[in-house]
Amino acid sequence: MKRLLFLLLFAIQSLTSFSQEIASELPINCDKKTDVFQIVEDKKQQALIFYTDKKKITALRLNSALNIMDSIKVSRNSEELNDLLGYSMTENTYNLLWAGSKSKNITIQSFDFEKKETLAKHTTLNFENEKLFQKLTVNGVFYMLTIVKASNIINLYKFENDSFTKKTIDLSSKRFLSSENKFNLLYTIISENRLSDPAFSFELISNETPPSLVLSSRKRKVYSQGNQIVLTLDVCKLYSQIIRINLNDFSAQCQFIAQPKIEEANYPSGDSNSFLLNDKIIQLRSKSDILLLKFKNQDGEELKSYELKANEEIPFKNSDIIQENGNVNNVRILDKSNQLIRKIDNLNPSISSYLLGDKIYLTIGGVSSPQNNNAVMYGGMIGGFTGAIIAAALTSNYSINNLNSYNNRKVVYIHCIFDTNFNHIDTEAQKLAFDKLRFFAEEKESHFGQTIFKMNNTLYYGGYSTAKKKYLFYRFND
């Protein structure tokens, strides 16, 4: 009966997705090759939407109702504006940073909506004896992080005053553990190429939308927390390794937080992973007959723990055990806890957490490897600037990556709800805005130039409707 009710709710969700509220309609033309991204400013109650194709860039400034306040259109020279690296902003000026066809050349394209003008400036950035592994914007400032070959040295390139300032973070006195649980150079650990973690890549985790289990299954993750960039490494079964980079003085702190250990084993067995939620860390270890879940503070002190054995009911779940096969509409409901534990053990274990009000929404599960070779490089980047398409390069397109990440994968999971002290709350799990969007987007594949962003605590999905010949924004609320 429970399974029938769940499948009925899935069917109702799919049927009602077409009635989703339209927040705004814009007279913008897009095609399959149009890339769209955005810069959101909650304080100014506005969003900037950029539409790019081979010949031009159209920038719109929208108010909180997503109506056009003003626009700027500029031609695009693909030799100079080849691959979008990221963006920065100061007051009323918004800078797009592009790599040229020659990887050392960078064009800074500035949009000033007060003066109604654009300006292009050029600079060069040559990585010598180092590899790029992350690009992101924090508090309106664009950063690129590299690792010096055969070392524990991170170089951080900060974009300011139309050029890059290099900051060196020397971790030579620190030690890092590899996937073989042996001390090794940070460069060697980051360069390791795994099916789920391409070499020289960290998966960006943002609180814009609840991170999918696919994104959080990565063993190398990066978070932006206030004035810090936080790197986490779960490649070693013994510890979660954390590097916190202070963006005020460019100092760094490194710490090891012990992973949960299954008592019967003398050596950590099973696979493990972690997830940062503000100043807390959530850790998971699983093997074929047991699952351990621990909540700790940033000093590694345990706050709460749960243990699940294969022959027991799951005391902390707020949903059925769900198995998705390739997309949100192709699901199977599993009956027993041993199925969840066994499947997590056979897949890549993952935890994702999202704070909404005074409740912590936690998803626990396992993720298969991608079903096609193209997906293997999802989220990765090659050593230079080029090759970073908009969807993979920009912090602002994190949610599009998040939305598409379940495609062509098997994912098994449960939803759980806890209070802020990590006590389980026995209540029905409400469908979050992003969950509603996943159903809706599955039915709207014909929309071109998709984008997703949150403004004023409301989630928006944008896409070009071939039927209406307009660019539509849909509104979703938790």
Side-chain angles (χ1 to χ4, degrees):
M1 181 68 182
K2 192 174 183 181
R3 177 183 297 183
L4 288 173
L5 178 60
F6 181 86
L7 293 175
L8 178 61
L9 289 173
F10 258 67
I12 292 172
Q13 180 70 49
S14 297
L15 289 171
T16 58
S17 66
F18 291 101
S19 63
Q20 185 64 39
E21 179 185 2
I22 296 176
S24 178
E25 301 183 12
L26 304 181
I28 297 294
N29 290 320
C30 295
D31 59 30
K32 292 182 178 180
K33 295 183 179 180
T34 301
D35 285 312
V36 183
F37 64 97
Q38 76 286 330
I39 300 173
V40 176
E41 295 182 281
D42 273 331
K43 290 183 179 179
K44 292 184 178 181
Q45 299 285 292
Q46 67 180 24
L48 281 76
I49 311 295
F50 297 85
Y51 301 86
T52 72
D53 56 38
K54 288 184 177 181
K55 295 182 178 181
K56 66 182 184 303
I57 301 170
T58 302
L60 304 181
R61 187 159 62 126
L62 309 181
N63 60 20
S64 58
L66 300 184
N67 296 319
I68 299 174
M69 292 192 288
D70 45 42
S71 64
I72 298 175
K73 187 179 291 186
V74 63
S75 61
R76 178 184 176 190
N77 180 342
S78 59
E79 287 294 315
E80 293 183 351
L81 312 179
N82 191 32
D83 291 299
L84 186 60
L85 300 174
Y87 73 93
S88 69
M89 56 185 181
T90 55
E91 296 298 329
N92 296 314
T93 302
Y94 306 87
N95 302 304
L96 304 185
L97 290 90
W98 297 86
S101 56
K102 296 181 179 180
S103 61
K104 295 180 182 179
N105 299 329
I106 297 177
T107 298
I108 302 103
Q109 188 179 40
S110 299
F111 292 78
D112 190 325
F113 282 89
E114 297 300 319
K115 296 180 180 179
K116 308 288 189 197
E117 66 180 19
T118 64
L119 181 66
K121 298 181 180 179
H122 307 277
T123 187
T124 58
L125 187 59
N126 188 20
F127 293 151
E128 296 182 0
N129 198 38
E130 56 193 307
K131 286 284 189 178
L132 175 69
F133 68 85
Q134 188 61 45
K135 300 172 290 188
L136 74 166
T137 297
V138 181
N139 300 325
V141 180
F142 178 67
Y143 298 91
M144 290 197 286
L145 284 74
T146 69
I147 181 77
V148 176
K149 291 182 180 179
S151 79
N152 287 344
I153 298 174
I154 294 174
N155 284 329
L156 188 150
Y157 292 85
K158 177 183 179 181
F159 176 75
E160 56 185 352
N161 300 322
D162 297 330
S163 64
F164 285 92
T165 302
K166 179 180 175 180
K167 306 291 184 180
T168 296
I169 300 162
D170 192 343
L171 304 176
S172 298
S173 62
K174 308 298 181 181
R175 306 181 79 186
F176 300 95
L177 284 165
S178 70
S179 58
E180 297 177 345
N181 302 320
K182 297 178 181 180
F183 287 110
N184 212 327
L185 294 172
L186 183 59
Y187 176 88
T188 303
I189 295 171
I190 294 177
S191 67
E192 184 179 12
N193 193 28
R194 303 159 56 96
L195 190 59
S196 60
D197 291 82
F200 302 107
S201 69
F202 279 72
E203 185 60 64
L204 174 67
I205 302 296
S206 168
N207 60 6
E208 184 179 80
T209 52
S212 76
L213 286 179
V214 176
L215 300 191
S216 57
S217 69
R218 296 280 294 273
K219 299 291 190 176
R220 299 190 294 259
K221 295 188 274 286
V222 58
Y223 304 77
S224 167
Q225 295 185 343
N227 69 332
Q228 290 185 329
I229 293 174
V230 184
L231 306 173
T232 64
L233 299 165
D234 283 287
V235 297
C236 166
K237 290 186 177 181
L238 298 170
Y239 298 94
S240 295
Q241 301 171 83
I242 303 176
I243 304 171
R244 299 180 184 274
I245 301 173
N246 187 309
L247 297 176
N248 292 332
D249 59 12
F250 301 99
S251 61
Q253 293 181 336
C254 301
Q255 64 181 137
F256 284 25
I257 296 182
Q259 286 278 10
K261 182 179 178 181
I262 296 171
E263 291 184 1
E264 303 84 57
N266 294 323
Y267 188 79
S269 58
D271 204 353
S272 58
N273 213 330
S274 74
F275 189 92
L276 295 188
L277 181 66
N278 298 331
D279 60 346
K280 306 297 190 299
I281 182 170
I282 308 167
Q283 295 176 306
L284 169 74
R285 181 177 294 281
S286 69
K287 56 179 297 189
S288 60
D289 58 351
I290 192 170
L291 184 148
L292 300 179
L293 181 66
K294 291 186 181 291
F295 301 87
K296 300 178 182 179
N297 62 23
Q298 62 183 355
D299 296 320
E301 298 171 338
E302 186 174 308
L303 304 173
K304 199 79 174 180
S305 66
Y306 295 89
E307 179 180 295
L308 175 63
K309 294 183 179 179
N311 59 351
E312 299 175 346
E313 289 294 321
I314 306 173
F316 49 81
K317 74 180 177 72
N318 296 79
S319 73
D320 289 313
I321 304 171
I322 303 166
Q323 177 176 305
E324 287 190 28
N325 300 293
N327 66 69
V328 70
N329 288 324
N330 186 3
V331 300
R332 175 188 171 197
I333 305 304
L334 307 180
D335 296 320
K336 299 179 180 179
S337 59
N338 65 352
Q339 292 175 289
L340 174 70
I341 296 174
R342 188 177 67 253
K343 286 180 179 291
I344 291 177
D345 183 56
N346 291 331
L347 300 171
N348 299 303
S350 183
I351 323 163
S352 173
S353 189
Y354 185 74
L355 182 63
L356 181 61
D358 59 354
K359 293 184 177 66
I360 296 170
Y361 286 76
L362 185 72
T363 303
I364 302 170
V367 178
S368 76
S369 299
Q371 303 298 310
N372 60 68
N373 292 332
N374 290 334
V376 173
M377 288 306 296
Y378 170 79
M381 64 180 72
I382 58 180
F385 301 135
T386 59
I389 59 173
I390 287 178
L394 282 181
T395 306
S396 63
N397 276 76
Y398 159 83
S399 289
I400 285 291
N401 292 342
N402 200 15
L403 178 68
N404 296 330
S405 62
Y406 282 101
N407 293 349
N408 302 311
R409 294 176 187 262
K410 179 187 291 185
V411 186
V412 180
Y413 59 88
I414 57 171
H415 293 304
C416 314
I417 304 175
F418 300 88
D419 63 22
T420 52
N421 293 316
F422 302 106
N423 299 303
H424 178 245
I425 301 174
D426 187 11
T427 185
E428 184 178 349
Q430 73 178 78
K431 195 170 289 294
L432 299 177
F434 194 69
D435 298 323
K436 301 172 188 176
L437 170 56
R438 289 192 65 215
F439 282 97
F440 179 79
E442 191 68 29
E443 306 295 338
K444 294 292 182 181
E445 291 182 351
S446 62
H447 277 43
F448 302 143
Q450 300 176 15
T451 191
I452 302 170
F453 59 90
K454 181 178 283 188
M455 185 165 65
N456 299 327
N457 296 316
T458 296
L459 188 66
Y460 293 97
Y461 168 83
Y464 180 75
S465 169
T466 54
K468 289 196 171 188
K469 299 189 184 305
K470 291 181 179 180
Y471 195 87
L472 307 181
F473 286 104
Y474 298 88
R475 180 185 292 112
F476 299 83
N477 291 299
D478 287 318

